[in-house]
Amino acid sequence: MSVFAEVPQAAPVAVFKLTADFRDDKDPKKVNLGVGAYRTDEGQPWVLPVVRKVERLLVEDTSLNHEYLPILGLPEFRSNSSKIALGDDSPAIQEKRVGGVQCLGGTGALKIGAEFLRRWYNGVDNTKTPVYVSAPTWENHNAVFGQAGFEDVRPYRYWDAQNRGLDLSGFLGDMEAAPEHSIFVLHACAHNPTGTDPTQEQWKQIAEVMKRRSLFVFFDSAYQGFASGSLDKDAWAVRYFVSQGFEMFCAQSFSKNFGLYNERVGNLTVVAKDAEKLAHVLSQMEKIVRWTWSNPPFQGARIVATTLTTPELFQEWKDNVKTMADRVLLMRAQLREKLVALGTPGTWDHITQQIGMFSFTGLNPKQVDYLIKEKHIYLMASGRINMCGLTTSNIDYVAQSIHEAVTKVQ
């Protein structure tokens, strides 16, 4: 009798199961629209040219070694990551009330933030504070806060399925009804999975309610630069909230905008009321990091730090990011154009109105199942597709297949 006899088989993670199914499919026309990573027009992963360049510089730098980093991470990585989120001229940075924690990707940044909030926010060790995540949201948001010990993770209205856009009145209404000091997880840009972001005026309305209702802001910024091609435009919401005096967290990921998916490069930016409060917060986060992963990895953080602190490399990186963003925008425009030309029932304006890597197509589960089984086009059951999976060689096939799914399957 095994000591593990009572351990059940866990369900596979949906997006990785989808990729495995795609890999096993022998059909030559198969298309993967599920994977959460950038692909070139040839359907291949892309190592950013600036990353290749920096990797060579690091290999040749004999002053580098493999000693432990500080527990909170590489200092120049942390400070410059926070700087691109908040802006070079951020008064909060100048007032020395902004700090960073190097984390294992955006998920790690969410994890450290959640663990801290459960221990030290709204009282000590308060597991009852409501945590609100958008409906729908990235699946890990629910899991990270739940596993941190929060007992009340709730959805707030976000997606208007009928109009295929933002449900602003529902969003604002849920914030008005939320208990004071509730935590709201907000997507800084390129909302995952809908690709639908508030406008700047709508962000102002959201901030006004959150300030008046004393709600805590926790931004998840996984796509800065990747959404619009502009670092500043994609950081507008985060910077506006800081300008309104919020104390807040911002989880940053460099997986998408640097293509460093397997290096796990993330940063948790902390904005506090003053330098003293910041020091207290970081001291507690240091304890949490110590027993979570003890010490962060070097390679990815050094690549990012070197790029952000070297003007010519920084400009090259921004150009690389714009290359990715522009390809996504092109695929959006072409897919919408082809669906309209085919006379596909419904409206498809949302494809170009949405932004970032993902599009919430509005396809229902039966139509998704048809695309997977009959057309070998792999996408999430929610109807979310990765626009990077579209290429000039497969977009006609995908558009025709979506047209068939919509007209044949209700």
Side-chain angles (χ1 to χ4, degrees):
M1 182 70 171
S2 170
V3 295
F4 303 118
E6 302 302 317
V7 180
Q9 177 69 40
V13 176
V15 68
F16 288 93
K17 172 69 163 56
L18 196 72
T19 298
D21 291 345
F22 168 79
R23 196 179 298 119
D24 293 340
D25 192 331
K26 305 303 181 188
D27 193 284
K29 297 192 299 294
K30 67 180 182 178
V31 180
N32 187 359
L33 301 181
V35 64
Y38 180 77
R39 293 291 181 265
T40 65
D41 194 49
E42 292 71 44
Q44 297 301 311
W46 191 44
V47 178
L48 273 60
V50 71
V51 168
R52 288 280 195 215
K53 187 176 294 184
V54 175
E55 285 177 327
R56 286 193 293 270
L57 291 173
L58 297 184
V59 167
E60 294 165 4
D61 187 346
T62 57
S63 70
L64 299 178
N65 56 49
H66 296 287
E67 292 294 300
Y68 288 118
L69 294 177
I71 292 174
L72 292 181
L74 189 68
E76 53 268 45
F77 166 77
R78 294 159 52 205
S79 60
N80 285 282
S81 295
S82 296
K83 192 178 290 184
I84 65 163
L86 305 189
D88 287 339
D89 56 351
S90 171
I93 292 176
Q94 293 166 9
E95 292 159 10
K96 302 188 185 304
R97 55 188 185 89
V98 174
V101 180
Q102 182 186 335
C103 297
L104 302 188
T107 305
L110 289 163
K111 167 74 171 173
I112 297 302
E115 293 285 351
F116 173 87
L117 291 172
R118 200 267 290 160
R119 285 164 175 77
W120 298 107
Y121 173 70
N122 195 25
V124 177
D125 205 24
N126 186 352
T127 62
K128 306 294 185 184
T129 303
V131 178
Y132 286 80
V133 299
S134 64
T137 193
W138 182 51
E139 62 183 17
N140 254 3
H141 284 155
N142 289 280
V144 166
F145 284 89
Q147 292 300 316
F150 285 101
E151 299 174 19
D152 189 2
V153 181
R154 311 177 183 182
Y156 61 83
R157 285 171 286 177
Y158 191 87
W159 173 249
D160 180 344
Q162 184 173 351
N163 296 304
R164 298 185 181 181
L166 179 67
D167 180 5
L168 181 64
S169 62
F171 190 172
L172 295 174
D174 285 344
M175 288 193 298
E176 292 281 11
E180 286 192 351
H181 309 299
S182 294
I183 298 163
F184 271 73
V185 179
L186 307 177
H187 299 232
C189 66
H191 182 274
N192 180 5
T194 71
T196 296
D197 290 348
T199 65
Q200 290 184 6
E201 287 306 310
Q202 289 170 337
W203 274 123
K204 289 178 180 179
Q205 291 178 261
I206 293 164
E208 186 277 322
V209 176
M210 294 195 77
K211 180 183 259 188
R212 176 164 45 78
R213 299 282 304 133
S214 299
L215 305 173
F216 186 83
V217 182
F218 197 146
F219 273 109
D220 186 357
S221 179
Y223 301 95
Q224 188 181 351
F226 196 102
S228 69
S230 165
L231 291 173
D232 294 330
K233 184 176 181 181
D234 291 349
W236 189 91
V238 175
R239 295 175 187 181
Y240 179 76
F241 274 73
V242 174
S243 76
Q244 296 304 295
F246 283 89
E247 291 185 282
M248 57 181 244
F249 291 171
C250 178
Q252 297 170 262
S253 169
F254 293 95
S255 294
K256 308 295 193 299
N257 57 15
F258 265 86
L260 294 171
Y261 303 96
N262 65 15
E263 293 288 354
R264 310 312 300 139
V265 190
N267 185 64
L268 178 62
T269 288
V270 178
V271 182
K273 186 176 182 180
D274 54 48
E276 181 185 24
K277 300 297 185 299
L278 175 67
H280 292 181
V281 171
L282 293 180
S283 73
Q284 294 296 338
M285 288 185 172
E286 188 173 56
K287 299 290 187 186
I288 295 169
V289 169
R290 178 63 175 155
W291 55 254
T292 304
W293 53 69
S294 185
N295 204 268
F298 173 87
Q299 181 73 3
R302 177 58 72 182
I303 290 171
V304 172
T306 301
T307 303
L308 297 184
T309 56
T310 309
E312 60 271 26
L313 294 174
F314 184 56
Q315 182 57 52
E316 184 176 351
W317 172 58
K318 288 195 290 184
D319 292 342
N320 290 172
V321 171
K322 192 169 189 311
T323 295
M324 293 189 286
D326 285 350
R327 193 179 104 68
V328 172
L329 291 170
L330 177 64
M331 290 297 101
R332 285 187 180 280
Q334 290 188 0
L335 180 61
R336 176 187 172 279
E337 180 183 305
K338 291 178 187 298
L339 289 172
V340 170
L342 288 166
T344 308
T347 175
W348 299 97
D349 292 346
H350 59 285
I351 291 178
T352 48
Q353 290 167 352
Q354 294 168 358
I355 196 167
M357 180 178 284
F358 301 115
S359 177
F360 220 45
T361 59
L363 296 170
N364 65 43
K366 289 183 179 179
Q367 292 164 342
V368 170
D369 193 56
Y370 174 85
L371 288 171
I372 294 174
K373 291 181 177 177
E374 301 298 326
K375 296 297 180 178
H376 306 272
I377 296 173
Y378 290 80
L379 66 160
M380 300 297 286
S382 64
R384 186 197 83 171
I385 63 173
N386 179 359
M387 301 304 298
C388 305
L390 295 172
T391 68
T392 51
S393 61
N394 69 25
I395 194 167
D396 286 312
Y397 175 68
V398 170
Q400 181 62 47
S401 297
I402 291 174
H403 176 77
E404 288 182 25
V406 171
T407 52
K408 289 182 178 180
V409 183
Q410 300 305 313

